[in-house]
Amino acid sequence: MSVQHTFQEVSRIWCDAKRPIVKHSTMCAYTLAIQTHLLPCFGEMKAITESDVQRFVIAKFASGLARKTVRDLIAVLKSIVKFGGKHKMFPFEVWEIEYPTRTEARRLPVLALNHQRMLMRHLLEKPSPQNIGVLLALCTGMRIGEICALKWEDVDFVQKIITVRHTVGRVYNCESKTTEKSKYSLYHIFKMYFMNFGINIWRFEEELLLSV
C-alpha cells in the first residue's frame, strides 16, 4: 500500500536523488526555486491539481516574474510531482497549463541624452572602481559580470581595446544559503573599443581593473 507524502516531503527526497546527478550550481538553483516559490504554495499539499498550478502561474505573472522564470518553476514542479508518482508517494496527473500573454510590452527605463552626459561627467570627475564599472557598462555595453572579471592583461592601452575573456556570475549556495561568485570562461572572445576620454586615469593599482 502506497503512503501519501506532502509535496515538501517529496521535494526533499527528489533533491536527494538529484544531488549526485546534476552540477552543484544547478542543484542550488533547484533548491532556491523550491524554497522561494514552490513550498510556500504547495508545501503541505498531498495532491496538486491543474487548477492549483494554473492559479500559481497567474499569481507569479501578476507578481512581475518573467515568462521564462515561471516556465522554469513549473518544470521543477512537474519533475518533482512526476518523481513522486513514479515512486507512489504523490499523485501525478498531466497538466495543460496556459501562460498569460502580456497585453502591453514592458518598457525599459532609458536615460535621456542630457542625463547620460551628466552621469558620464560625474563618473569621470570621481574615477572610483565602482564608477569606472558604471562608465564601462555605459560606454561599451559590457555586462556587469564581464566587467567584474576584467584583469589588466585584458586591457590594451596602446590599441585602446578591451578583450572580454571571462565573466563572473552570482550563484546561490544551497548549503550556506548565501550568494557567492562563480567564474567561468566565455565561449568566444570579442573586443570593445575604448572611448577617447583619458583612460589612463583609471590606473589605480597594478591589480584588477575593478575590485571584484
Side-chain angles (χ1 to χ4, degrees), residues 7-8 10 37 39 47 53 56 59 63 69 72-73 77-78 89 93 103 109 111 123 138 147 154 156 163 173 181 195:
F7 175 78
Q8 182 173 11
V10 176
H37 298 283
L39 289 186
V53 181
F56 174 82
S63 71
T69 303
D72 289 345
L73 292 175
L77 177 64
K78 281 183 177 179
M89 295 183 293
E93 64 178 76
T103 55
L111 284 177
L123 298 173
L138 184 63
I147 294 171
D154 301 325
D156 188 333
T163 300
N173 189 323
K181 295 175 182 176
M195 302 293 100

Side-chain angles (χ1 to χ4, degrees), residues 111-173:
L111 284 177
L113 185 58
N114 61 322
H115 291 161
Q116 181 178 332
R117 287 171 177 163
M118 290 170 60
L119 176 59
M120 289 179 66
R121 186 162 52 248
H122 169 77
L123 298 173
L124 286 169
E125 289 172 353
K126 299 182 178 180
S128 66
Q130 291 80 11
N131 286 354
I132 293 170
V134 175
L135 192 61
L136 280 173
L138 184 63
C139 296
T140 67
M142 293 170 64
R143 298 186 177 100
I144 186 171
E146 295 165 351
I147 294 171
C148 289
L150 283 177
K151 296 182 178 180
W152 280 115
E153 54 262 35
D154 301 325
V155 183
D156 188 333
F157 286 91
V158 177
Q159 298 296 324
K160 296 184 178 179
I161 293 174
I162 300 174
T163 300
V164 181
R165 295 187 174 89
H166 300 91
T167 187
V168 171
R170 288 193 173 273
V171 177
Y172 176 76
N173 189 323

Side-chain angles (χ1 to χ4, degrees), residues 45-60:
M45 290 186 177
K46 293 189 175 182
I48 299 174
T49 66
E50 184 178 291
S51 298
D52 295 328
V53 181
Q54 189 66 65
R55 283 193 296 270
F56 174 82
V57 167
I58 292 173
K60 291 303 175 182

Side-chain angles (χ1 to χ4, degrees), residues 12-24:
R12 190 179 302 119
I13 300 170
W14 178 85
C15 285
D16 291 339
K18 281 285 184 181
R19 194 167 286 112
I21 302 171
V22 301
K23 293 189 299 184
H24 177 70

